Amino acid sequence: MLFNKKSLFAALVAMKLAAADTCNPLKSTSCPDDTALGTSFSEDFTSASKYFTNTGNPGTIEYASDGLAITMKKRFDNPSLKSNFYLMYGKFEVIMKAAPGTGIVSSVFLQSDDLDEIDLEWLGGDTTQFQSNYFSKGNTTTYDRGEYHGVNAPQNEFHNYTVDWAMDKTVFYLDGVPVRTLLNTTSEGYPQSPMALYLGVWAGGDPSNPPGTIEWAGGETNYADAPFSMFVKQLVVSDYSSGSSYSYNGQSGSWESIQAANGQVYGRYGIAQEEFANLVDGESVEYANTASNSTTTTTTSATTSSETSETSEDVSTSTEFSSSSSELKTLSTSSDISETSTFSSLYPTSNSSTIEPSSTEYSSSSLFFNSTSSAPVTTSASSTSEVQTTIMSSRISSSTVARNTSSTTTHEISSANFGNAVIEKSNSLFTVLGLALAFFM
């Protein structure tokens, strides 16, 4: 799908329609804390979810045995759900069908109070592609962030779409296969503040929208074709941080300024991977939540202990394991650090970061929840080699890696002790033989 860049830029500017509906911590010091998820869950939407609230926009949201239906029945409908929680880095997987209809846009995206954003969007008239996009601090001064990815009949078939938002990179997946990798070194800024999750439908092709917006959406919407429905069969979500809430310390908007009450930013990355894999494989929500509650405390405690004994200037590169639980206690910061041990050493410092607080008051977040809308962008292809070198399986459990490494370490220690014992016994034998020879001589 190709568009004229000039019209795309005009559409992008036109998307700055309204301020976000939350308090922006970069503009106010009195914003409330964000409720943290701090765990993992799976939702099939057979009934109203405790994790989401209807935003109250016109349109219908229905729950049934086959999942969630979000429906536009007439012009100016833009039904949507917003999560009751925030993620501070994390992963979500949604199994869904997009809404059909020229100019109709289905959206699933993350957005923070200070207007960081990660988007997935589907155009109702495009049966071969979906779009990934991102924004940092509401900055919409460029129009080259988005990419299109091939998908077969997204309005007629359920597909699995996954976003893995980690500290060092964000990976977008289609049906388990990575289609885009966004590194945190991007010059456009990298999303790095607590984000809520939204799902909804809106009409980018409404006749009242700017021409560039209508063009991006695929043309004018014919409301005689209504209703337009997107369907969600399952959603799995994991938070990579622990605690009860997230707050901003100062107005930089950097990840270092985010504080986790009773927890740790990025403190449960490993256990979140295991929980996510369990939930995707059909394990019960109760199992994953129980595991999270018990192991998050251990991880947080270990991390706190590590931070107490090490300064930021002298971070240990060794990996220490608990002999009782084989859990990773101190994450390696060596140059060959593994994907499961990613931590602050992999993230650019404030001095080297390209992320600056934006002076703009508006975001390009989706229009459907009466805030703003994702900007139309040009298509740019991901580097295949980049994806291959940065890909990480969504189901690799870092805790399993930790346990395997721990077992190897224990084995090596046991072997060393055994060798020392043999040497000691050999020395003792030689001593006895020496004494015997001396006696007979």
Side-chain angles (χ1 to χ4, degrees), residues 73-91:
K73 292 186 174 181
K74 61 184 185 304
R75 188 182 182 188
F76 302 126
D77 281 1
N78 54 354
S80 61
L81 294 177
K82 178 183 178 181
S83 67
N84 300 325
F85 59 82
Y86 283 69
L87 304 177
M88 183 53 200
Y89 298 115
K91 180 189 289 189

Side-chain angles (χ1 to χ4, degrees), residues 283-318:
E283 297 284 356
S284 69
V285 174
E286 291 76 17
Y287 171 83
N289 285 344
T290 301
S292 169
N293 291 337
S294 62
T295 53
T296 298
T297 302
T298 303
T299 304
T300 302
S301 175
T303 305
T304 303
S305 175
S306 172
E307 290 175 343
T308 302
S309 60
E310 298 173 351
T311 64
S312 58
E313 293 81 8
D314 184 26
V315 178
S316 172
T317 59
S318 64

Side-chain angles (χ1 to χ4, degrees), residues 38-42 237-239 268 272 275-276 279 285 288-289 292:
T39 186
S40 304
F41 71 87
S42 177
V237 184
S238 285
D239 194 347
R268 60 186 311 276
E275 291 173 352
F276 193 90
L279 289 168
V285 174
N289 285 344
S292 169

Side-chain angles (χ1 to χ4, degrees), residues 214-226:
I214 296 172
E215 182 184 5
W216 165 74
E220 273 197 22
T221 298
N222 181 1
Y223 291 98
D225 294 335

Side-chain angles (χ1 to χ4, degrees), residues 27-69:
K27 300 179 180 299
S28 173
T29 58
S30 58
C31 295
D33 294 351
D34 297 327
T35 300
L37 176 61
T39 186
S40 304
F41 71 87
S42 177
E43 180 60 77
D44 59 11
F45 293 106
T46 54
S47 60
S49 173
K50 66 180 181 180
Y51 297 104
F52 290 87
T53 297
N54 187 332
T55 59
N57 295 336
T60 61
I61 294 179
E62 300 172 302
Y63 305 90
S65 59
D66 56 352
L68 172 70

Side-chain angles (χ1 to χ4, degrees), residues 114-117 134-140 145 188-192 355-356 358:
D114 66 354
L115 307 184
D116 283 348
E117 188 175 330
Y134 72 98
F135 296 90
S136 173
K137 309 299 181 255
N139 182 2
T140 59
R145 295 176 175 88
E188 306 286 359
Y190 187 74
Q192 56 184 294
I355 300 173
E356 298 291 341
S358 171

Side-chain angles (χ1 to χ4, degrees), residues 154-207:
Q155 298 83 10
N156 298 322
E157 299 178 9
F158 282 99
H159 288 279
N160 181 335
Y161 305 90
T162 303
V163 174
D164 187 353
W165 172 44
M167 186 176 283
D168 60 330
K169 64 180 179 291
T170 297
V171 183
F172 300 83
Y173 295 83
L174 169 63
D175 295 327
V177 178
V179 294
R180 181 182 186 182
T181 297
L182 172 68
L183 300 179
N184 69 356
T185 53
T186 169
S187 62
E188 306 286 359
Y190 187 74
Q192 56 184 294
S193 52
M195 296 201 281
L197 180 60
Y198 297 81
L199 305 90
V201 183
W202 59 284
D206 189 87

